[in-house]
Amino acid sequence: MTEQDFTLTSYTSNVENGSVKWESPSNIALVKYWGKRENQIPENPSISFTLSNCKTITEVTYTKKEGDNFSFDVIFEGQINEAFKPKIQTFFERIEAYVPFLRDFHFKIETSNTFPHSSGIASSASGMSALALCLMSIECSLSELEVNESYFNKKASFLARLGSGSACRSVEGELVVWGNNKSTESSDLFGVKFTEDIHPNFKDYQDAILLVDKGEKQVSSTVGHKLMFSHPFAEKRFEQAHEHLAELKDVLISGNQKRFIEIVESEALTLHAMMMTSMPYFILMKPNTLEIINKIWQFRVETGSNICFTLDAGANVHVLFPKAEADKVYEFIKTELVAYCQNGHYICDTVGKGAKKLAHISD
Ligand code: DP6
């Protein structure tokens, strides 16, 4: 599919108002997206587990208006929020060509997260995908053509990507691939559900997110992606991501836990190695991030557990493990790892199936 396939060409002007509500989860990448070209095209393919408990709930109320401007209010957790507006303005500008009705309505965007705002958990994936899904539902009620589920999901993911790259992997579950590659069905334009039979070892995988540092990070992902342009190791890294994805595909089918751990941890450390070797260089891990990683390695050696870690662009640690080990691992977290979490705070999540529509009322 090409960009043109996502342009809404004809729609009715009879709809005066309505409201739509979606919840959309966060996701955690196993092979990382780090580096992008213009128009949010990734430099390398990535794959993620869709999460379940960490999500954004967004309701968009739309009312017909006069005038040619974008008009919207953002209410975050019950309060008017001006800080989010520039990001949404940019999002609207990027997607306007595909959803031409944006200037016809005033939008009230009411949004909240199930995870604490200042937790260091990026809300851009869940937030942008929830908003994109709301806009897709509005498109359906205006569209003069029948919109099928497959097109709906693809276009929602396509729009979400233009808001934040990783958001395109949050529409569906349980595993989603984004970025052209030779090993899986894929696109640079939207996330594609990984449809191979996943081995039971990787079903219902658990993710305990250890909140090491809840502060605003010093360097945004957007800046980090840009630093891959002039990065001395960029080409090799992009190649490696292709290789890791190809191998991870086989691992997910065969159930090879040892190799899963190696690929996932290597991806996390490579992501941070890219940050440390860019110019300017920066470090997002904190001392406690390393303490936790060492404890996880020690626990794995001592108990033979299949626990492993991954990292986002921040200091928090995602602890991944099979459901069958949940009791043992949570005991370990409570006794050994909680001491390294800010205010002892961690979030228990599991792999989920993607976004859900909660309501849609249209006149
Ligand atoms: C480290 O999707 O937040 O989480 O496209 O600029 O919004 P933008 O970046 P973003 O980058 C996330 C990068 C990552 C790895 C990943 O999720 O694949």
Side-chain angles (χ1 to χ4, degrees):
M1 284 180 92
T2 69
E3 270 106 340
Q4 278 67 40
D5 298 316
F6 294 113
T7 307
L8 175 66
T9 46
S10 84
Y11 62 98
T12 172
S13 54
N14 296 337
V15 175
E16 289 294 320
N17 55 57
S19 89
V20 58
K21 192 173 184 177
W22 275 86
E23 61 169 49
S24 189
S26 187
N27 66 70
I28 179 68
L30 304 173
V31 173
K32 308 287 180 182
Y33 147 56
W34 198 244
K36 62 177 165 182
R37 295 196 279 273
E38 252 200 292
N39 299 326
Q40 297 282 104
I41 299 300
E43 288 279 14
N44 66 259
S46 55
I47 182 168
S48 51
F49 270 141
T50 304
L51 296 180
S52 170
N53 300 332
C54 286
K55 56 195 176 196
T56 298
I57 298 149
T58 298
E59 178 166 16
V60 176
T61 307
Y62 49 104
T63 320
K64 205 45 152 301
K65 73 164 183 66
E66 297 297 321
D68 198 27
N69 57 327
F70 290 135
S71 171
F72 62 90
D73 292 318
V74 185
I75 293 136
F76 177 64
E77 287 171 2
Q79 309 266 333
I80 293 261
N81 188 304
E82 294 297 329
F84 287 166
K85 285 187 95 169
K87 199 153 188 201
I88 295 179
Q89 175 79 23
T90 307
F91 178 50
F92 276 16
E93 285 161 11
R94 283 188 192 158
I95 64 172
E96 193 191 0
Y98 310 103
V99 276
F101 55 84
L102 287 184
R103 290 178 199 266
D104 299 348
F105 295 95
H106 171 76
F107 298 98
K108 183 165 92 173
I109 303 165
E110 291 173 275
T111 185
S112 58
N113 296 330
T114 56
F115 47 91
H117 180 49
S118 55
S119 57
I121 298 185
S123 57
S124 65
S126 53
M128 282 298 172
S129 54
L131 183 54
L133 285 154
C134 288
L135 294 175
M136 272 314 288
S137 287
I138 299 171
E139 168 167 325
C140 286
S141 59
L142 305 181
S143 177
E144 281 156 351
L145 302 167
E146 192 65 36
V147 180
N148 67 38
E149 194 187 331
S150 157
Y151 180 80
F152 184 100
N153 284 340
K154 280 196 183 90
K155 184 164 174 183
S157 171
F158 172 86
L159 296 175
R161 181 195 105 242
L162 292 169
S164 177
S166 55
C168 79
R169 300 187 311 238
S170 275
V171 172
E172 293 181 275
E174 302 163 346
L175 282 149
V176 177
V177 176
W178 171 41
N180 287 337
N181 72 87
K182 290 208 193 88
S183 341
T184 71
E185 203 194 312
S186 59
S187 169
D188 274 350
L189 301 180
F190 50 84
V192 175
K193 192 178 149 102
F194 181 82
T195 47
E196 307 284 343
D197 270 339
I198 301 168
H199 190 277
N201 285 351
F202 300 116
K203 285 275 178 199
D204 300 316
Y205 231 61
Q206 309 288 301
D207 180 8
I209 308 164
L210 308 188
L211 305 180
V212 170
D213 183 36
K214 304 186 193 175
E216 194 70 13
K217 52 189 180 198
Q218 311 105 299
V219 183
S220 73
S221 293
T222 306
V223 171
H225 287 294
K226 282 209 186 97
L227 291 174
M228 289 305 281
F229 269 124
S230 48
H231 199 291
F233 308 136
E235 284 317 310
K236 194 71 207 148
R237 158 62 197 151
F238 301 145
E239 244 174 67
Q240 181 200 43
H242 281 270
E243 287 158 13
H244 276 167
L245 178 63
E247 215 193 328
L248 194 60
K249 172 190 165 183
D250 295 341
V251 161
L252 289 165
I253 297 167
S254 69
N256 184 343
Q257 288 172 304
K258 184 169 176 287
R259 195 59 193 139
F260 176 87
I261 292 168
E262 284 169 357
I263 294 171
V264 168
E265 293 190 345
S266 159
E267 276 291 318
L269 295 177
T270 302
L271 168 70
H272 284 257
M274 291 299 111
M275 299 172 191
M276 289 192 253
T277 48
S278 63
M279 190 57 80
Y281 42 82
F282 59 103
I283 301 180
L284 295 183
M285 290 186 284
K286 298 281 181 198
N288 281 353
T289 311
L290 297 179
E291 293 285 359
I292 291 169
I293 291 173
N294 279 304
K295 285 274 177 194
I296 288 173
W297 286 344
Q298 195 186 340
F299 181 74
R300 203 158 65 212
V301 169
E302 283 168 5
T303 67
S305 163
N306 290 297
I307 188 174
C308 70
F309 73 86
T310 188
L311 306 167
D312 257 344
N316 296 334
V317 182
H318 288 251
V319 185
L320 301 177
F321 49 97
K323 192 176 185 192
E325 293 188 25
D327 289 348
K328 185 169 85 174
V329 172
Y330 274 117
E331 192 52 37
F332 164 59
I333 290 173
K334 276 185 219 141
T335 53
E336 301 261 1
L337 301 185
V338 95
Y340 302 106
C341 301
Q342 217 175 338
N343 305 325
H345 201 164
Y346 63 95
I347 295 173
C348 308
D349 213 335
T350 65
V351 170
K353 296 203 184 302
K356 260 193 241 140
K357 182 155 87 175
L358 302 176
H360 191 179
I361 308 158
S362 165
D363 68 349

